[in-house]
Amino acid sequence: MIWGNRSLLMEFVFLAYPSKPEICVLSFLGVSLVYTLIITGNVLIIVAIQTEARLHTPMYYFLGSLSGVEICYTAVVVPHILANILQSEKTITLLGCATQMIFFIGLGSADCLLLATMAYDRYVAICHPLQYPLTMTLTLCVRLVMASVGIGLFLSTQLVAFIFSLPFCQARSIQHFICDIPPVMPLVCANSHIHEQLVPVAATLAIAVPFFFIATSYVFIVTAVLKIHSTAGRHRAFSTCSSHLSVVLLQYGCCAFVYMRPSSSYYPKQDQFISLVYTLGTPLLNPLIYTLRNSEMKGTLGRILTKNCLSHNN
């Protein structure tokens, strides 16, 4: 199997994994625990939204979709990380690396775009409450989610196809534990600066544009909330947005730091830590942020867990 003048079975070697057996065991247990919590938390959110009729609203539909994307996003890289921790050879084929990058970057971009659609949902709900039921229909919600995932995967496919069409140097060592753009780009042997400029352009489309849209939405939201005379009304409006805003700052902050800076400022150790934050930290914190600060979600999850405990006891 050949891709251009290269074999699809050509391998890259990851250099970021620990070499000492005891550290490997601790790393495996730690990542396994976090991954289990990520899957459990996001699955519970999806189940809660599906089973509770009161949560069948656009806001919770987007939240459930975000949890689904988070599950797929972590599934792209975490099982491979766990397998590599235990293996003596930490390798991945050219085809495997390209495939991992497409889905990792694509679903990460979909995550960012979904957060933008959630900001639009809050904008319509708070700034145009009377038009909200007519505007945010189920059909529109489904189309927005599909568009977020579709655009994310389309951008990542174009970007990865371009990167892997370039020649690679003889050194095939990746200073990372996954196939991501910053650690793979130094392996490209090309004199053209086009490939270096393509990453910021793609990052602008997937990160900067949605973030600008979110920021603009929140300007209108804050303006509308400040006009509410009731203190309880202002508190309720801000509480529905605070969870979303917390997730936005965490997700966009990490992504902007990694993808929207010049390639000359790439530092492997620093990037490995930031990658852990948005690969494991953000998907773990999202369910906690949305449930701990949402009384309806907490109540629904409490009833589901209580019902399961009672059924097991009987």
Side-chain angles (χ1 to χ4, degrees):
M1 296 190 295
I2 302 297
W3 184 349
N5 60 347
R6 293 163 293 174
S7 170
L8 293 180
L9 300 179
M10 181 183 83
E11 291 187 334
F12 295 106
V13 179
F14 295 109
L15 300 181
Y17 289 93
S19 56
K20 294 182 179 180
E22 58 272 18
I23 298 179
C24 286
V25 172
L26 289 174
S27 300
F28 182 83
L29 293 175
V31 174
S32 298
L33 175 62
V34 173
Y35 187 47
T36 302
L37 292 173
I38 289 170
I39 298 299
T40 303
N42 284 290
V43 167
L44 280 174
I45 285 179
I46 294 172
V47 171
I49 292 170
Q50 289 291 326
T51 56
E52 183 63 50
R54 290 187 306 167
L55 302 183
H56 293 174
T57 63
M59 182 178 78
Y60 290 107
Y61 175 76
F62 289 129
L63 177 56
S65 301
L66 184 68
S67 291
V69 169
E70 296 279 17
I71 292 171
C72 298
Y73 172 72
T74 52
V76 171
V77 292
V78 178
H80 189 258
I81 291 173
L82 292 171
N84 271 339
I85 290 174
L86 298 179
Q87 292 174 353
S88 57
E89 295 184 0
K90 329 290 188 181
T91 59
I92 189 170
T93 63
L94 176 76
L95 180 61
C97 187
T99 303
Q100 187 181 81
M101 281 180 67
I102 286 173
F103 286 100
F104 181 69
I105 297 167
L107 293 172
S109 300
D111 211 327
C112 292
L113 293 169
L114 267 177
L115 289 172
T117 63
M118 293 171 77
Y120 174 71
D121 172 70
R122 291 299 82 208
Y123 161 74
V124 177
I126 294 172
C127 298
H128 304 284
L130 297 179
Q131 299 174 20
Y132 184 71
L134 299 175
T135 303
M136 299 305 296
T137 61
L138 178 60
T139 302
L140 178 62
C141 292
V142 171
R143 286 176 179 174
L144 287 173
V145 170
M146 292 179 66
S148 298
V149 176
I151 292 171
L153 290 174
F154 175 78
L155 289 174
S156 67
T157 302
Q158 301 304 309
L159 180 60
V160 172
F162 177 77
I163 291 173
F164 279 82
S165 68
L166 299 169
F168 284 99
C169 303
Q170 290 299 316
R172 293 168 189 157
S173 300
I174 299 177
Q175 296 281 348
H176 215 285
F177 45 82
I178 57 173
C179 280
D180 200 1
I181 294 174
V184 171
M185 289 301 286
L187 305 182
V188 173
C189 287
N191 296 324
S192 173
H193 294 288
I194 296 176
H195 66 283
E196 294 181 357
Q197 297 170 356
L198 187 64
V199 176
V201 170
T204 300
L205 293 174
I207 300 172
V209 172
F211 184 77
F212 176 77
F213 180 82
I214 292 171
T216 304
S217 298
Y218 271 101
V219 169
F220 287 109
I221 288 171
V222 170
T223 303
V225 170
L226 291 177
K227 293 178 181 178
I228 299 174
H229 299 292
S230 167
T231 304
R234 284 200 299 269
H235 177 73
R236 178 177 174 80
F238 276 126
S239 65
T240 60
C241 299
S242 59
S243 300
H244 176 256
L245 196 55
S246 301
V247 174
V248 166
L249 294 175
L250 182 62
Q251 177 78 9
Y252 277 86
C254 292
C255 291
F257 179 82
V258 172
Y259 298 108
M260 295 190 68
R261 58 182 179 164
S263 57
S264 58
S265 61
Y266 171 66
Y267 299 103
K269 293 292 183 184
Q270 190 180 55
D271 275 46
Q272 290 162 21
F273 174 76
I274 299 297
S275 294
L276 280 175
V277 173
Y278 66 76
T279 303
L280 295 174
T282 306
L284 175 65
L285 290 174
N286 283 358
L288 294 175
I289 292 171
Y290 279 114
T291 54
L292 293 178
R293 307 189 73 171
N294 188 309
S295 57
E296 289 182 328
M297 186 62 72
K298 279 194 293 186
T300 302
L301 289 175
R303 286 191 293 274
I304 290 173
L305 294 174
T306 302
K307 184 178 179 181
N308 286 337
C309 289
L310 290 175
S311 63
H312 282 304
N313 291 333
N314 294 332

